[in-house]
C-alpha cells in the first residue's frame, strides 16, 4: 500500500504530515519504524490532517496519541497554507478545542504564525496528577533525585521542574523517571528551565512518548505559564530551546498565544509493506 507524506520541522521538532482520508490505523501502527532516524524516515511523530474539517490528530513515535502539540499545530497551519491554500486567519481543530491561527509571514517553504494555545490550568486533576487542588509546587522523588515542580495543563500535561541544571544531560537523566512517575497516571511532558531575565527563559524538554526533543510549543507555553504564575517573568516572554526561540504572551482573557515558524522539509512516497 503506497502513501504520500510531507515532512515539516518547527525549531527542529519534526513531524510527518498525512492527509486524510488515508489508512491511518495502519500508518500509526508502523510509527515506531517510520519515525526511527536511522532505519526509517525520521520524525518526532505524525500529524493526521483532515482538510475538509481543518482538524488534526497528533501521534507520537511510540504510536500513542497526544492531545496537543504547539509545534505540531504550527506545522499543520503551515501545511494548510502551503498545500491547501488556507487564508491569513483560520481555526485548527484538535480534540475538544478550536485553536485560532493568524499567519504573520509566508515564504516558499516556511510559514510564521501566531497560535492561540488557550488558558493554562494548574489544577492537578486537569493533567491528571495525583495531587489535590492547584498546588504551587509538588515534590517528586525519582531514582535520579528529588525535584520540585509546578503542574501545568495547556490541553496536555506538563511537569515544570524548578532549580535544576538546564542541560541536556540532566534532562535525559530526569525525564524518563518523571514522565512515568506514579503521580502521572497518563504520563507527562517534562521541562527544566532557567530564567535569564524577565523576558527570556532557557528550557530543556523531555516529551511524553517521544523523549528528548529540541523544541516543543506546548512545553514552551507551560514553562511561560509557570514562570508567570511564580512572578519570575513578565506577560510576554521568549522561550529559548535548543531548536530555537518561541515567543509566548498572555492575553487579557488569560489565554496564551505563541508565535514562531514552521518549514516544509521534503515529500515522500512510501510503500507501507516496506516497513512491516
Amino acid at each position: 500500500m503506497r502513501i504520500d507524506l510531507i515532512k515539516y520541522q518547527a525549531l527542529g521538532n519534526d513531524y510527518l504530515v498525512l492527509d486524510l482520508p488515508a489508512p491511518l490505523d495502519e500508518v500509526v501502527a508502523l510509527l515506531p519504524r517510520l519515525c526511527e532516524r536511522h532505519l526509517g524516515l525520521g520524525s518526532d511523530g505524525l500529524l493526521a490532517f483532515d482538510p475538509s474539517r481543518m482538524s488534526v490528530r497528533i501521534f507520537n513515535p511510540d504510536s500513542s496519541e497526544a492531545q496537543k502539540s504547539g509545534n505540531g499545530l504550527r506545522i499543520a497551519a503551515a501545511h494548510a497554507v502551503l498545500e491547501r491554500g488556507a487564508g491569513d486567519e483560520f481555526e485548527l481543530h484538535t480534540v475538544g478545542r478550536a485553536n485560532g491561527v493568524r499567519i504573520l509571514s509566508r515564504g516558499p517553504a516556511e510559514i510564521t504564525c501566531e497560535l492561540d494555545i488557550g488558558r493554562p490550568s494548574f489544577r492537578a486533576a486537569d493533567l491528571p496528577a495525583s495531587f489535590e487542588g492547584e498546588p504551587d509546587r509538588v515534590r517528586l522523588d525519582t531514582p535520579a533525585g528529588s525535584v520540585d515542580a509546578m503542574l501545568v495543563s495547556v490541553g496536555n500535561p506538563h511537569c515544570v521542574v524548578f532549580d535544576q541544571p538546564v542541560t541536556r544531560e540532566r534532562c535525559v537523566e530526569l525525564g524518563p523517571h518523571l514522565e512515568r512517575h506514579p503521580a502521572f497516571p497518563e504520563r507527562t511532558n517534562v521541562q527544566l528551565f532557567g530564567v535569564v531575565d524577565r523576558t527570556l527563559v532557557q528550557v530543556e524538554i523531555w516529551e511524553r512518548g517521544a523523549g528528548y526533543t529540541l523544541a516543543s510549543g506546548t512545553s514552551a507555553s507551560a514553562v511561560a505559564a509557570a514562570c508567570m504564575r511564580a512572578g519570575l517573568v513578565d506577560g510576554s516572554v521568549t522561550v529559548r530551546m535548543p531548536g530555537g526561540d518561541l515567543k509566548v504572551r498572555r492575553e487579557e482573557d488569560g489565554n496564551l498565544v505563541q508565535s514562531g515558524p514552521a518549514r516544509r522539509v521534503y515529500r515522500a512516497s512510501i510503500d507501507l509493506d516496506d516497513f512491516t
Side-chain angles (χ1 to χ4, degrees):
M1 184 182 301
R2 184 165 292 277
I3 63 166
D4 294 321
L5 299 163
I6 303 180
K7 180 172 174 175
Y8 292 79
Q9 62 88 11
L11 305 179
N13 193 199
D14 54 344
Y15 281 90
L16 301 168
V17 178
L18 174 70
D19 279 330
L20 300 179
L24 182 58
D25 291 344
E26 290 90 335
V27 175
V28 169
L30 293 173
L31 284 183
R33 296 187 181 187
L34 289 172
C35 294
E36 213 285 327
R37 296 195 179 278
H38 298 289
L39 305 177
L41 299 178
S43 173
D44 287 321
L46 175 83
L47 304 178
F49 181 73
D50 186 339
S52 66
R53 301 176 59 191
M54 288 296 282
S55 66
V56 60
R57 292 176 65 188
I58 304 156
F59 295 91
N60 295 314
D62 64 359
S63 298
S64 62
E65 186 166 3
Q67 297 106 319
K68 202 169 189 178
S69 165
N71 284 333
L73 282 169
R74 293 201 327 282
I75 285 172
H79 182 72
V81 171
L82 295 173
E83 299 291 327
R84 295 291 178 171
D88 288 338
E89 293 193 24
F90 53 92
E91 290 183 339
L92 285 174
H93 296 267
T94 51
V95 177
R97 188 173 191 273
N99 305 271
V101 175
R102 185 166 73 92
I103 304 302
L104 301 178
S105 68
R106 299 169 179 249
E110 183 170 291
I111 299 296
T112 299
C113 73
E114 284 188 344
L115 174 68
D116 184 341
I117 290 291
R119 182 181 299 179
S121 170
F122 305 100
R123 292 180 66 247
D126 288 341
L127 275 82
S130 58
F131 298 93
E132 297 297 325
E134 300 182 1
D136 180 54
R137 309 280 173 87
V138 298
R139 186 77 169 171
L140 298 166
D141 297 324
T142 81
S146 297
V147 301
D148 292 317
M150 188 179 294
L151 308 176
V152 185
S153 172
V154 288
N156 60 351
H158 296 270
C159 173
V160 181
V161 179
F162 285 69
D163 303 321
Q164 289 288 317
V166 187
T167 64
R168 175 177 180 147
E169 293 74 20
R170 186 57 172 156
C171 188
V172 169
E173 187 178 28
L174 277 171
H177 299 299
L178 291 172
E179 177 190 356
R180 297 179 179 276
H181 193 282
F184 304 108
E186 296 179 10
R187 298 186 290 165
T188 187
N189 300 285
V190 181
Q191 302 84 29
L192 311 183
F193 78 93
V195 176
V196 178
D197 58 41
R198 294 195 64 82
T199 63
L200 178 63
V201 180
Q202 181 182 351
V203 180
E204 292 281 351
I205 300 160
W206 182 269
E207 192 169 4
R208 177 181 63 170
Y212 180 83
T213 188
L214 297 178
S216 163
T218 57
S219 288
S221 297
V223 169
C227 290
M228 290 173 189
R229 186 189 188 203
L232 300 175
V233 300
D234 298 331
S236 181
V237 64
T238 297
V239 180
R240 179 154 295 163
M241 299 166 284
D245 294 353
L246 267 182
K247 296 185 183 299
V248 182
R249 72 174 188 272
R250 182 175 55 201
E251 301 282 74
E252 289 185 3
D253 62 3
N255 281 15
L256 297 177
V257 175
Q258 66 173 237
S259 57
R263 173 174 282 270
R264 186 172 57 206
V265 178
Y266 65 68
R267 303 174 190 273
S269 180
I270 65 169
D271 193 325
L272 292 181
D273 289 340
D274 293 342
F275 293 88
T276 56

